[in-house]
Amino acid sequence: MPMNPPLNRPPNAPPLHRRSFCAGLACLLAACAAPSVRPPSGESINQPLPPVGNTLTKAGITSEQLLNRLTWGNNFSATLQVQAIGMDRYLDQQLRGRYAILPTAVQAQINAMSISQQAFEPMMRELEVRRITAEQQKGVDDRLRKEYQQELNRLAREAASRSLLRSIYSPNQLQEQMTWFWMNHFNIHSGKHNLRAMLGDFEEHAIRPHALGNFRDLLRATVMHPAMLRYLDNEHNAVNHINENYARELMELHTMGVNSGYTQSDVQELARVLTGLGVNQSSDIPKLKPGLEKLYVRQGLTEFHPHRHDFGDKHLLGINIQGKGLSEVDEVIRLLCKQPATAHYISHKLAVFWVSDTPSEALVTAMAGSFLRSDGNIPLTLRTMFDSTEFTASLGKKFKDPIHYMLSAIRLAYDGSVIVNTAPMLNWLTMMGETLNGRQTPDGYSMAESAWASPGQMAVRFDLAKAMSGGSPGLFKGDAPVKDKPPLPALASSHYVNQWSKQFSPSTQDILKQAASPQEWNALFLASPEMMRH
């Protein structure tokens, strides 16, 4: 389904020459073990970004180097954008990006999804009725339970597909990467209860609006979302029946980090603050004792039930917190966000994602200073990082996790074409071990090279490179009949890709010259060490 005129599409390619491909692949496998060095070539934003500077221009980097890190993967379309306005202004626009206009055909796919057409709360209430009915018919008519589970799976696939389509086609690539970063930071495993049906709303309303906003707003949005409250069991946290699970992860994983100075007593006190905050999928308002009605709060499916709340005073991180209801939660969110430990932990995690597995303490300290001075302004914290020489020096050296590898291949190979079926991509991510929302523990997927650069992982990537080299027709097979032939990957026949490959190491260039066909060149290019790093 063409989006624009085809960009240098290759002709029908002959079969791979197995011997030369295997020989080339063996050389690339060895090369992938070490990075190759390229030659140089809206929300509560409390402070404005600094004026556009010339840090990137002065660094002498190429647009390909920058785009491979700043986007989900460099392609000709993104390069044209950078060439039109310059690298520094492009970065500034990306930091300010909020609302992206997608290609019409892509937006139409998203608009047709149930998660786009149905309001979240009524949909979840209807699903709850179906679940209860299926439970009542258990052992009598298991068809209802099967249909209920299938609907949860379908909704989860829609959420994942929407995320992938935006990652590929949105011009606001920094926003897309930060949305994924925060989804991973505030990880929710899809396998629990009915969370598969909540993931789309969690991304759309808790994460995405604040991905380049203010960290305090982002944190509060996650605290108040039913998906998080259900995943970390806070709906079971009540006075005299304390459940510390969410309180512990809120401090250890979401804000301050492990070994940052808080104590077990702080966890217990935070759990008391969070008592009564849970999930209510019915439309009923509970009966409350006189005097408690005014303290009851309902926000969508999230409920603050004063009868379940511990109204005693708390002492958390050296601060006394008066027991007064839901406002205690807001007080604690502000307290956590002002902690130097939170600024350091978030800054370090951002630097690991964007710079290297071992960012310098000087860089993390500078970022943490920006975080604290700006009251958690995410773009300003990122700007401090992007302006550092450590960032520009790292370009081309960071190993890609599976989603970065897959999306970079797709964005480059099919620039100018609209994918109508994301199922192959979802399968590829599963094969590489990074299923969207598939991490069972709340810590999210690791961004360290050691987590992904195993021989088994590389073997899977080489298999995928070989499979994608001759085209991936499944990406272009939707429900409607397809009249045109699916596009072939625009790699070997692309002047842009060929020019870019001249920046690759001499050994990679020699291997590409040995390709006996366009299809084999595509496979060797996608399996190259340069495609494994960004």
Side-chain angles (χ1 to χ4, degrees), residues 42-69:
E43 273 52 50
S44 299
I45 299 180
N46 306 297
Q47 296 181 13
L49 285 166
V52 177
N54 62 348
T55 303
L56 300 176
T57 303
K58 287 194 302 183
I61 60 175
T62 66
S63 60
E64 288 82 10
Q65 287 176 306
L66 176 66
L67 288 170
N68 263 331
R69 184 70 62 81

Side-chain angles (χ1 to χ4, degrees), residues 1 3-4 7 9-10 74-75 77 168-169 406-419 425 428 467-476 486-491 497 522 526:
M1 187 177 190
M3 179 176 70
N4 295 314
L7 298 175
R9 302 223 183 278
N74 175 49
N75 59 20
S77 298
I168 295 168
Y169 296 108
M406 183 196 73
L407 288 176
S408 64
I410 293 293
R411 277 174 53 82
L412 186 63
Y414 295 109
D415 184 22
S417 299
V418 171
I419 289 167
M425 291 190 288
W428 295 337
M468 286 189 285
S469 64
S472 304
L475 296 171
F476 303 96
L488 293 172
L491 298 173
V497 175
N522 293 344
L526 292 174

Side-chain angles (χ1 to χ4, degrees), residues 193-306:
H193 205 298
N194 61 354
L195 292 179
R196 281 164 286 174
M198 294 187 177
L199 288 171
D201 189 81
F202 182 70
E203 177 180 334
E204 193 74 357
H205 293 105
I207 300 296
R208 180 170 292 275
H210 310 289
L212 282 172
N214 180 275
F215 181 75
R216 185 179 66 252
D217 296 338
L218 172 64
L219 181 63
R220 189 182 192 281
T222 62
V223 169
M224 295 298 293
H225 199 279
M228 183 63 72
L229 297 172
R230 175 153 288 173
Y231 175 55
L232 292 177
D233 302 318
N234 206 71
E235 62 181 331
H236 305 302
N237 183 23
V239 60
N240 298 325
H241 294 87
I242 297 294
N243 186 309
E244 299 176 4
N245 194 24
Y246 186 27
R248 180 171 290 102
E249 307 304 359
L250 186 56
M251 300 186 82
E252 179 178 320
L253 297 178
H254 297 174
T255 56
M256 296 177 65
V258 68
N259 299 324
S260 57
Y262 67 85
T263 65
Q264 173 59 21
S265 175
D266 290 322
V267 172
Q268 293 169 340
E269 293 295 272
L270 178 55
R272 291 178 61 210
V273 169
L274 295 172
T275 52
L277 191 60
V279 182
N280 185 345
Q281 281 189 240
S282 76
S283 57
D284 300 332
I285 302 297
K287 294 182 179 180
L288 297 168
K289 295 179 180 179
L292 293 180
E293 295 94 338
K294 294 181 180 180
L295 296 175
Y296 177 81
V297 178
R298 186 72 174 268
Q299 180 180 308
L301 302 182
T302 299
E303 173 185 74
F304 177 75
H305 198 316

